[in-house]
Amino acid sequence: MDYDRLGDVHQDLISLLKSKSKIFNENISNQDFQLLNPEQNNGLADSFLLSLDQSEPLTPSTDNSPKTTADSESKLQKQAVAKSMPAAKVTPRKADIVAKHRNETSPSPSQWKGSNKTTPRLDKTAQLASVDGKPLTNDRMRKTTPHARTVAPSVKHPASELSGESSSESEEEEETRERRQESSDLPSEYWQLQKLVKYLKGGNQTATVIALCSMRDFNLEQETCQLAIRDVGGLELLINLLETDELRCKIGSLKILKEISKNKQIRRAIADLGGLQTMVTILQDCNKDLRCLAAETIANVAKFRRARRSVRQYGGITKLVSLMDCAPLCSAMTAEMQKDVEVARCGALALWSCSKSTKNKHAIRKAGAIKLLARLLKSSSEDMLIPVVGTLQECASEALFRLDIRTEGMTEDLVKNLHGDNQELQMHCALAIFKSAEDGDTRELVRKYGGLEPLVSLLTNTENKDLLAAVTGAIWKCAVSKDNVTKLQELKAIETLVGLLHDQPEEVLVNVVGALGECAQLPPNRTAIRKAGGISSLVTLLTGTNQALLRNVTRAVGACALDPENMVIIDRLDGVRLLWSLLKNHNPDVQACSAWAICPCIENAKDAGEMVRSFVGGLELIVSLLKSDHHEVLASVCAAIANIAKDEENLAVITDHGVVPMLAKLAHTNDDKLRRHLPEAIARCCLWGNNREAFGEAGAVAPLVKYLKSPDEKVHCATAKALYQLSKEPNNCITMHESGVVKLLLNMVGSSDDVLQEAAAGCISNIRRLALANEKAKFSS
């Protein structure tokens, strides 16, 4: 800096700035800045230069034109005055002006990207840290081209695997760009970290290690620090350091990558740069610390589908499973054995992230992880148990894994860990039971090992919603078994579950209502739900929009409606109308559950016929559902129509709506559940007008005869009743006889089911009477 006199002499700094800057002159005239005494100005320049030297930001180089230099000097002078102002006297308007000057002097990352000298780029042979004062050669460093460092190694994937992810990734990147462009006031750590990244490029071994250690001194959990490393090209350098032969550089690089990979954007950048392939290779390194760090970093990166797929395709699943093969766990372990256990824990942590993919679940099982997970599940360390149980609860969605969990005796260990104090471990154990209890044998084992008691006791922990959702889910699935429902009844779980129907997130409500729906299958529990005030709460939930919740609540209301006293409450709260309105829902499962729930409501309502007719357009709506393509919807609607048709007026209305040809069209089905309820509807509809003749003309008789060959006895009973009603029409008797119905019905006349026996005998009697009438007519002629 030239201190020779080149211009006029000014009385003080204020007059100098007034002559040089119009903006300053206007602001000082408006009293936006406080005038300082000469004594306050002493040492101002020295202190400003010292602070500038200590916190100099890494700024892009610019042309040294006179205009640029003058502008820079003017801005620095303004910053000096702003820094000298007392903090207590800075007004909001002054703060805005200071922020404005910061924006002018500190370019944002988006502006850097447009400069030629901003973000460091690697040459074709990446310039990295040297070891022992010599540059790294190609055999010690990965040969990297600019293209190879911006695009992940090419692996051919089916279009179906990639199509579902590109959309979400592009949206996320777009949001990221928008957020970064708005960032105008970056902290000093951002620029200091970028300085350190520069030392990774050209320094020797010592400088590289020091730079890595210095980077770790920053709070790498802050997004600003994470993105500072990425924006200046630090991820490329850190990943390339993993391929050197220097152990300290590799450990330092992995420690930084492990921390910053918790950021969603950093994870995707590491995957794009091919970092996963390098980390998978390190999993076979002889150094255990390296393997731990690589596995933990993979656990962070493999949070999205493409990364999980890459780990599998690079052979990472097998290597991660091998990490879990440690010495048997015992109380007295050497330091080396403890390190092996830590390696196993990190391997389980990475498998936990990878196990969210269905293909990875099969790869984990194929790699022999079952026995290793079963062994680690007996550990007393919660740090080990959490990733192990987490992996099991993810994989338990597969039927083969559920079988392995049961046969390897892991159900007992899961129940045992429910008694601990670690809520995260309890949550994962409950989730594992929730998924494993899809199988009846596992439900029995949970009760056998005393798993229902801790689950019910955890219902009182209403503050931890994740734990509560997991526990209620496990109770729901266990309640599918009637013996478990009896045990839950003894533990007073019904009242506790009813209390959870208020002020809970939908994830909890879905499971609570599901559990109540299963418990309500037993008559005593229906009474318990009513006495606890659960009926009104369930009816209120019918107005929701969550599809899973609607499926469960309709089922629960339908089960409660089997009790006449409960039905009075449901009718008074207009619950039947709400159920009928759900028949319009676009979800076939909700439609089916609503139709099933309507059946007991009609059976137990005092004036069911009038109630149904009061629903404007209700009968037309339910008849129209016979056009559905879903067998469950068709079966439930047929069951509802069978109950609706008990009222003669309603039967006449649905006949006018064309119920006969629609039912006849469904007669060719092979689904036994539909076969069980379709003949019931046909039998009821035969009681009006000439519907019997209409069914015969529509071709419904011959297909019904084939139902008698079904192995389901309930199908036999319903079909026999339908054939009995149809046999009252002579033409239908002829069709039945030609289809061989007599021989099939003769075998059922001796059935232990009185209804089936009577219906079969009545149908045969009608056919025989018609035959006798024909013979008599012949003789008389």
Side-chain angles (χ1 to χ4, degrees):
M1 183 177 290
D2 189 2
Y3 290 96
D4 293 339
R5 176 178 174 183
L6 299 177
D8 299 331
V9 177
H10 297 274
Q11 182 180 0
D12 52 23
L13 179 60
I14 302 301
S15 60
L16 170 63
L17 293 176
K18 281 184 177 182
S19 64
K20 295 294 184 181
S21 173
K22 293 181 179 180
I23 296 176
F24 183 85
N25 188 23
E26 294 174 0
N27 291 334
I28 202 69
S29 300
N30 294 331
Q31 296 183 354
D32 283 328
F33 289 90
Q34 181 183 3
L35 293 177
L36 300 178
N37 296 326
E39 291 79 12
Q40 291 175 297
N41 287 331
N42 292 338
L44 176 61
D46 293 340
S47 62
F48 171 71
L49 292 175
L50 179 62
S51 63
L52 183 64
D53 182 67
Q54 291 176 348
S55 61
E56 178 187 358
L58 182 63
T59 55
S61 57
T62 56
D63 298 335
N64 294 324
S65 60
K67 183 178 179 180
T68 305
T69 304
D71 291 342
S72 300
E73 291 178 358
S74 176
K75 291 174 182 177
L76 291 176
Q77 290 169 355
K78 293 175 186 177
Q79 288 182 356
V81 175
K83 288 186 178 181
S84 67
M85 297 301 170
K89 295 186 178 182
V90 177
T91 62
R93 186 175 178 184
K94 296 174 185 176
D96 294 340
I97 295 172
V98 173
K100 178 180 179 182
H101 286 299
R102 286 180 183 171
N103 292 341
E104 293 174 357
T105 56
S106 301
S108 65
S110 59
Q111 293 171 330
W112 278 51
K113 294 179 182 179
S115 173
N116 294 330
K117 300 181 180 180
T118 54
T119 305
R121 293 289 182 183
L122 296 181
D123 297 329
K124 289 186 178 179
T125 56
Q127 300 174 359
L128 292 173
S130 59
V131 180
D132 300 330
K134 299 179 182 180
L136 298 177
T137 56
N138 287 341
D139 57 348
R140 304 177 69 185
M141 179 187 67
R142 185 177 175 180
K143 290 184 179 180
T144 311
T145 63
H147 176 71
R149 274 303 178 209
T150 56
V151 182
S154 61
V155 181
K156 293 183 178 180
H157 306 298
S160 59
E161 290 186 13
L162 299 176
S163 59
E165 194 152 17
S166 59
S167 174
S168 60
E169 286 177 13
S170 61
E171 290 174 2
E172 182 181 335
E173 291 167 1
E174 194 172 309
E175 292 174 1
T176 303
R177 285 196 296 271
E178 291 175 357
R179 183 166 60 251
R180 294 306 312 279
Q181 288 171 357
E182 292 174 358
S183 177
S184 59
D185 191 9
L186 296 172
S188 59
E189 288 85 354
Y190 183 89
W191 311 108
Q192 292 170 8
L193 266 171
Q194 292 197 342
K195 278 184 179 181
L196 290 173
V197 173
K198 293 180 67 177
Y199 288 106
L200 294 179
K201 297 184 69 175
N204 57 18
Q205 173 187 352
T206 304
T208 302
V209 175
I210 292 175
L212 291 171
C213 294
S214 300
M215 291 172 70
R216 291 200 63 220
D217 290 338
F218 289 86
N219 185 5
L220 297 178
E221 293 183 358
Q222 289 184 354
E223 185 179 16
T224 304
C225 297
Q226 296 165 349
L227 299 182
I229 297 173
R230 185 202 65 176
D231 292 346
V232 80
L235 289 179
E236 301 170 351
L237 300 173
L238 292 172
I239 291 173
N240 275 340
L241 283 174
L242 298 180
E243 299 189 7
T244 66
D245 295 332
E246 184 57 35
L247 179 61
R248 291 182 300 174
C249 292
K250 294 166 80 171
I251 290 178
S253 177
L254 276 175
K255 284 184 177 180
I256 294 172
L257 288 171
K258 184 188 77 170
E259 293 297 328
I260 66 177
S261 59
K262 296 174 183 177
N263 184 290
K264 187 181 297 184
Q265 304 169 53
I266 300 294
R267 289 200 289 263
R268 295 188 180 276
I270 291 173
D272 292 338
L273 293 169
L276 283 171
Q277 186 175 9
T278 306
M279 294 176 199
V280 168
T281 305
I282 293 176
L283 292 176
Q284 291 182 314
D285 195 279
C286 58
N287 187 282
K288 295 178 182 178
D289 291 332
L290 270 181
R291 281 186 282 171
C292 282
L293 289 169
E296 286 184 292
T297 309
I298 290 174
N300 290 338
V301 176
K303 299 289 187 183
F304 61 102
R305 187 185 307 171
R306 179 159 49 87
R308 292 193 289 268
R309 182 171 62 237
S310 297
V311 173
R312 182 182 72 250
Q313 291 171 340
Y314 295 140
I317 300 296
T318 304
K319 295 174 183 176
L320 289 171
V321 170
S322 65
L323 293 183
M324 296 193 301
D325 192 5
C326 62
L329 303 174
C330 58
S331 56
M333 292 191 296
T334 63
E336 194 66 23
M337 293 172 65
Q338 290 178 351
K339 190 167 285 188
D340 289 337
V341 172
E342 179 63 16
V343 172
R345 185 193 71 83
C346 295
L349 197 64
L351 283 177
W352 185 9
S353 295
C354 294
S355 62
K356 292 178 173 61
S357 166
T358 302
K359 291 185 179 179
N360 284 358
K361 292 174 187 177
H362 295 298
I364 290 171
R365 186 175 183 273
K366 187 177 180 181
I370 303 298
K371 293 186 179 297
L372 298 177
L373 289 170
R375 185 199 304 173
L376 295 176
L377 191 57
K378 299 185 181 298
S379 170
S380 59
S381 171
E382 293 177 350
D383 292 336
M384 172 67 80
L385 288 171
I386 288 174
V388 169
V389 177
T391 304
L392 287 173
Q393 64 96 357
E394 289 290 346
C395 295
S397 59
E398 299 296 317
L400 290 176
F401 247 104
R402 293 198 294 269
L403 177 63
D404 293 332
I405 289 173
R406 186 169 68 251
T407 55
E408 291 294 332
M410 287 187 267
T411 305
E412 183 177 5
D413 294 318
L414 293 173
V415 171
K416 173 186 173 184
N417 289 318
L418 286 174
H419 294 275
D421 297 327
N422 189 305
Q423 293 188 356
E424 185 179 2
L425 179 58
Q426 290 173 327
M427 178 189 71
H428 292 303
C429 288
L431 282 174
I433 293 174
F434 166 64
K435 295 181 180 179
S436 300
E438 292 285 349
D439 301 334
D441 293 339
T442 302
R443 294 195 290 269
E444 300 301 321
L445 289 175
V446 172
R447 186 183 72 258
K448 176 183 176 181
Y449 295 127
L452 295 178
E453 289 84 351
L455 287 173
V456 173
S457 65
L458 287 173
L459 289 175
T460 57
N461 191 344
T462 57
E463 295 180 358
N464 189 334
K465 301 303 181 183
D466 292 333
L467 174 60
L468 188 60
V471 170
T472 51
I475 292 176
W476 171 22
K477 295 302 180 181
C478 289
V480 175
S481 297
K482 302 303 179 186
D483 293 337
N484 287 349
V485 173
T486 303
K487 184 65 177 179
L488 291 172
Q489 185 179 353
E490 295 174 2
L491 296 171
K492 305 297 182 183
I494 308 298
E495 292 78 4
T496 307
L497 289 170
V498 171
L500 294 174
L501 290 175
H502 304 280
D503 302 326
Q504 297 296 337
E506 289 183 341
E507 294 79 7
V508 175
L509 289 175
V510 169
N511 296 335
V512 170
V513 174
L516 288 174
E518 296 296 339
C519 292
Q521 302 301 318
L522 297 183
N525 293 337
R526 297 174 200 147
T527 304
I529 292 173
R530 183 183 70 252
K531 290 181 177 180
I535 302 298
S536 59
S537 300
L538 290 172
V539 172
T540 302
L541 292 175
L542 289 172
T543 59
T545 57
N546 184 295
Q547 301 299 303
L549 179 57
L550 287 175
R551 285 197 300 269
N552 285 353
V553 75
T554 50
R555 191 168 187 271
V557 171
C560 291
L562 292 170
D563 187 305
E565 294 185 35
N566 290 347
M567 185 57 217
V568 173
I569 301 175
I570 293 171
D571 191 15
R572 187 178 68 246
L573 296 173
D574 215 13
V576 183
R577 186 183 299 276
L578 292 173
L579 286 172
W580 216 287
S581 66
L582 288 175
L583 294 175
K584 300 177 183 178
N585 194 288
H586 65 276
N587 190 324
D589 293 334
V590 175
Q591 292 176 341
C593 292
S594 301
W596 287 122
I598 287 171
C599 295
C601 291
I602 296 174
E603 290 176 2
N604 294 287
K606 288 185 176 180
D607 192 359
E610 183 61 32
M611 178 187 70
V612 171
R613 285 191 297 276
S614 67
F615 304 145
V616 179
L619 292 174
E620 183 179 2
L621 171 62
I622 202 164
V623 170
S624 67
L625 288 178
L626 291 173
K627 300 176 183 178
S628 175
D629 296 328
H630 299 269
H631 284 172
E632 188 70 20
V633 175
L634 294 173
S636 61
V637 170
C638 286
I641 288 174
N643 285 282
I644 292 170
K646 292 178 181 178
D647 183 88
E648 191 175 70
E649 292 185 36
N650 290 338
L651 176 56
V653 173
I654 61 175
T655 300
D656 292 339
H657 286 308
V659 71
V660 172
M662 289 184 182
L663 291 174
K665 188 177 180 180
L666 299 175
H668 296 277
T669 182
N670 294 320
D671 184 80
D672 268 354
K673 191 168 187 179
L674 178 54
R675 284 176 164 185
R676 195 181 308 162
H677 299 282
L678 175 61
E680 289 275 4
I682 291 176
R684 290 289 180 182
C685 291
C686 285
L687 299 177
W688 177 258
N690 60 347
N691 283 353
R692 295 188 183 93
E693 182 181 353
F695 278 118
E697 294 174 353
V701 178
L704 284 176
V705 175
K706 297 178 182 178
Y707 290 11
L708 297 176
K709 298 179 181 179
S710 170
D712 191 343
E713 291 186 0
K714 293 182 179 179
V715 175
H716 297 167
C717 184
T719 304
K721 288 193 290 185
L723 291 174
Y724 169 65
Q725 292 295 333
L726 290 169
S727 65
K728 295 179 180 181
E729 169 63 31
N731 291 330
N732 292 339
C733 288
I734 296 172
T735 305
M736 292 179 196
H737 189 270
E738 291 175 349
S739 300
V741 73
V742 175
K743 184 177 181 181
L744 296 171
L745 289 175
L746 284 174
N747 296 328
M748 298 176 184
V749 170
S751 172
S752 58
D753 186 342
D754 294 340
V755 177
L756 172 59
Q757 186 182 61
E758 184 178 348
C763 183
I764 294 174
S765 174
N766 289 334
I767 294 174
R768 182 58 183 163
R769 284 197 188 96
L770 178 62
L772 290 175
N774 288 336
E775 291 179 4
K776 186 176 181 180
K778 288 180 182 178
F779 287 120
S780 63
S781 61

